[in-house]
Amino acid sequence: MPSLSDSLDALRGIAESPAVAELAAAFGERGHEFALVGGPVRDALLGRPVVDLDFTTSARPDETRAVLDVVSTNVWDVGRDFGTIAAKVHGETVEVTTYRAEIYRDDSRKPEVSYGDTIEGDLVRRDFTINALALMLPDLRLVDVSGGIEDLLAGRIRTPGSPESSFTDDPLRMLRAARFASQLGFEIDVDTRAAMAEFAERLDIISAERIRDEFVKLMGSADPVPGIRHLVDTGLAERFLPELTALVATQDDHGRHKDVYEHSLTVLRQAIDLEISRRDSPTAAPDIVLRIAALLHDIGKPATRRFERGTVTFHHHDVVGAKLAKKRLRELRFDNDTVKRIARLVELHLRFFGYSDQQWTDSAVRRYVRDAGEELDRLHILTRADVTTRNRRKAERLEHAYDDIEQRIEVLSEAEELAAVRPELDGEQIMALLGIAPGPIVGRAYKYLLEVRLDEGLIGADAAEARLRAWHVEQGAEGRDD
């Protein structure tokens, strides 16, 4: 945490920015309290970049809207039912929320909102003490009702009131605790963590979309592993991602130094390191598809675990894992494209290891690229990250082998445009050459020529035509279309 003077300078800088100064004046002129609250205050005090500007006010939503309409021509409701109005002010997107207190009923997926009258009452209902901080504007008075500053200094995540009451009010806060542990590198208070385990089942009342969004935020942090450990250890992961918890007791294929769960966490960390090292820009967004695929790449192992001749095997766990990932991610309401990409990576993550002990043919390289498609770069990272052996010689051999594969792909791509592998004759040419109309045989002919292309590379149009005619004769289909 930076020095007190640096932290105060950061807060003062935010308060004096054109957007914030104008907003504070506008609300003050109309007799409303106005404060920067939560994450921006926390991050400024920690010396972290302040990205979002969140404010709270004594004004009711209609009053907030009236004030914002004066200072901005771009105002919209983010969630009027929750008392939040947003606007664009001096190029900054800001959100202003009425003082509030919200709770969940036992069988409700949505909070019931009531508005409050004081900043202290608003802060007490917030999720954690480190977020229950407000900077009153324009007078720059810092309000801390629950020891948030002390917890920032201690690197501790704790609820303002009892954790039992907090997690009963909003069970999603349990996932947020795990996420903040990863994002900030903080420890979760003992009582708070105990309550997470005690009230894990209450997460079931939260919608899949909200759980998904919180999980994605966790996976986007610099190191998601501490947060994931909290989710698994407290039983929260069991409520929405039980396949992850099932990995804990599943030994790896050697039955030795680590279980599949620990291996998966190591793969995730290694994938993140490789992802960052290969980024085109230091400000690039985290690759959530890659990270989730790395975490879930072995979730098919518990279902395929077998003991054969004293050895543990997991035959076809890649295919089973892809199906499990697809099912679970759909239940969490991930979009179809994300589900497809993650499942494909899980399905392909073993492909390299089937060839790692032998020289790849050009045909194998082409098929590898064709099957990976748009996920090739991610597959490169996932495959490298999946090497967690302590045997240094083996690790180096696998690394060199994959270096060779990437180099082979690059060379063949330059010569053959592997990213768009297709037969040398298209459907129209096939029909014209064979004198047939559209029908099933055209598809079979196209597939045959694609196999030739993958096996042998570019052989030229004349050779492709000769192959096609010979194939057609072999099919016993000369002159007819069935």
Side-chain angles (χ1 to χ4, degrees):
M1 188 168 174
S3 67
L4 179 60
S5 61
D6 288 341
S7 296
L8 293 177
D9 285 344
L11 288 173
R12 189 176 296 108
I14 295 172
E16 293 175 353
S17 67
V20 178
E22 183 169 357
L23 284 167
F27 277 89
E29 288 171 0
R30 290 159 181 80
H32 305 303
E33 291 183 358
F34 185 71
L36 182 71
V37 69
V41 179
R42 177 200 69 219
D43 289 340
L45 291 173
L46 288 174
R48 290 164 53 88
V50 175
V51 179
D52 300 315
L53 293 177
D54 296 329
F55 300 94
T56 188
T57 180
S58 59
R60 295 305 190 249
D62 288 341
E63 295 171 320
T64 297
R65 177 89 197 207
V67 175
L68 293 177
D69 281 336
V70 173
V71 299
S72 174
T73 58
N74 189 359
V75 180
W76 65 95
D77 291 355
V78 172
R80 177 174 286 270
D81 291 342
F82 300 99
T84 303
I85 311 295
K88 202 84 167 180
V89 183
H90 289 281
E92 297 272 6
T93 298
V94 300
E95 292 188 0
V96 183
T97 302
T98 299
Y99 294 161
R100 66 189 187 188
E102 61 200 31
I103 60 172
Y104 280 79
R105 299 306 177 190
D106 289 343
D107 58 350
S108 173
R109 285 177 176 265
K110 295 182 178 180
E112 296 182 6
V113 176
S114 60
Y115 299 124
D117 298 315
T118 66
I119 185 63
E120 291 79 9
D122 179 90
L123 294 178
V124 167
R125 57 146 291 277
R126 291 182 176 265
D127 53 4
F128 305 109
T129 60
I130 58 174
N131 296 328
L133 300 168
L135 181 69
M136 302 303 295
L137 300 170
D139 55 339
L140 299 180
R141 177 170 60 91
L142 187 62
V143 181
D144 176 9
V145 297
S146 54
I149 299 296
E150 293 180 4
D151 287 336
L152 282 178
L153 291 170
R156 180 172 55 230
I157 298 170
R158 183 173 61 87
T159 57
S162 74
E164 295 82 5
S165 176
S166 180
F167 296 153
T168 297
D169 286 352
D170 184 354
L172 192 68
R173 290 172 174 172
M174 295 183 286
L175 298 191
R176 287 169 60 82
R179 192 240 298 179
F180 285 128
S182 277
Q183 283 186 337
L184 304 176
F186 282 15
E187 294 295 327
I188 299 177
D189 170 72
V190 173
D191 292 340
T192 301
R193 196 170 185 276
M196 290 166 65
E198 180 180 356
F199 289 89
E201 290 186 3
R202 189 153 172 78
L203 191 66
D204 294 349
I205 73 167
I206 301 297
S207 69
E209 291 84 357
R210 295 188 72 208
I211 293 174
R212 174 204 63 207
D213 291 348
E214 198 58 49
F215 177 59
V216 167
K217 290 177 182 177
L218 167 61
M219 294 302 292
S221 62
D223 182 11
V225 170
I228 291 169
R229 290 191 186 281
H230 285 302
L231 295 180
V232 171
D233 293 346
T234 59
L236 284 163
E238 182 70 25
R239 313 312 304 180
F240 71 95
L241 197 58
E243 293 82 4
L244 181 59
T245 303
L247 296 178
V248 174
T250 307
Q251 292 297 312
D252 70 357
D253 48 359
H254 300 294
R256 292 201 297 268
H257 59 274
K258 64 175 77 68
D259 58 31
V260 180
Y261 172 64
E262 290 297 334
H263 165 76
S264 297
L265 296 183
T266 300
V267 172
L268 172 58
R269 273 188 166 141
Q270 293 185 166
I272 291 173
D273 289 343
L274 287 169
E275 169 204 332
I276 293 172
S277 70
R278 295 189 176 201
R279 282 178 181 171
D280 294 331
S281 167
T283 59
D287 191 338
I288 298 300
V289 168
L290 171 66
R291 295 179 181 203
I292 295 179
L295 179 65
L296 303 184
H297 77 283
D298 273 347
I299 61 170
K301 281 191 170 182
T304 58
R305 185 185 186 192
R306 301 290 185 273
F307 293 92
E308 299 178 359
R309 300 177 183 177
T311 302
V312 180
T313 65
F314 303 99
H315 296 312
H316 307 300
H317 76 268
D318 46 349
V319 177
V320 172
K323 292 179 180 177
L324 290 173
K326 188 178 296 184
K327 178 177 181 293
R328 183 59 57 191
L329 295 174
R330 283 175 175 167
E331 290 181 356
L332 286 172
R333 303 294 191 270
F334 279 87
D335 63 272
N336 290 334
D337 184 64
T338 298
V339 172
K340 179 181 177 181
R341 292 177 183 276
I342 294 173
R344 190 61 172 157
L345 287 168
V346 173
E347 183 179 4
L348 293 175
H349 82 273
L350 283 183
R351 183 68 61 88
F352 161 74
F353 298 99
Y355 293 95
S356 60
D357 292 323
Q358 55 186 306
Q359 181 68 30
W360 280 40
T361 63
D362 286 350
S363 174
V365 173
R366 294 186 192 100
R367 292 175 188 277
Y368 191 74
V369 173
R370 187 273 309 269
D371 292 346
E374 295 180 357
E375 303 312 306
L376 182 61
D377 289 341
R378 288 185 173 119
L379 185 58
H380 287 332
I381 293 176
L382 178 57
T383 302
R384 289 181 180 276
D386 199 18
V387 178
T388 62
T389 177
R390 292 182 178 179
N391 185 319
R392 187 171 181 178
R393 291 180 62 184
K394 181 179 180 181
E396 290 177 350
R397 176 175 56 78
L398 290 171
E399 182 180 1
H400 294 325
Y402 207 82
D403 287 343
D404 179 65
I405 294 305
E406 287 204 59
Q407 186 176 15
R408 294 273 303 284
I409 290 172
E410 184 177 351
V411 171
L412 279 176
S413 293
E414 291 178 357
E416 302 182 13
E417 298 182 3
L418 289 188
V421 172
R422 57 178 59 87
E424 293 182 74
L425 302 176
D426 61 23
E428 293 291 337
Q429 291 170 310
I430 291 171
M431 289 188 288
L433 186 64
L434 300 182
I436 59 177
I441 198 170
V442 178
R444 293 201 295 272
Y446 187 92
K447 184 177 180 180
Y448 165 73
L449 289 175
L450 179 59
E451 292 299 315
V452 171
R453 171 78 171 82
L454 289 168
D455 285 337
E456 303 178 36
L458 296 169
I459 62 175
D462 292 342
E465 290 179 5
R467 292 288 190 89
L468 179 61
R469 290 184 187 280
W471 173 85
H472 199 223
V473 171
E474 289 175 2
Q475 298 300 304
E478 188 70 55
R480 68 181 176 86
D481 180 11
D482 58 359

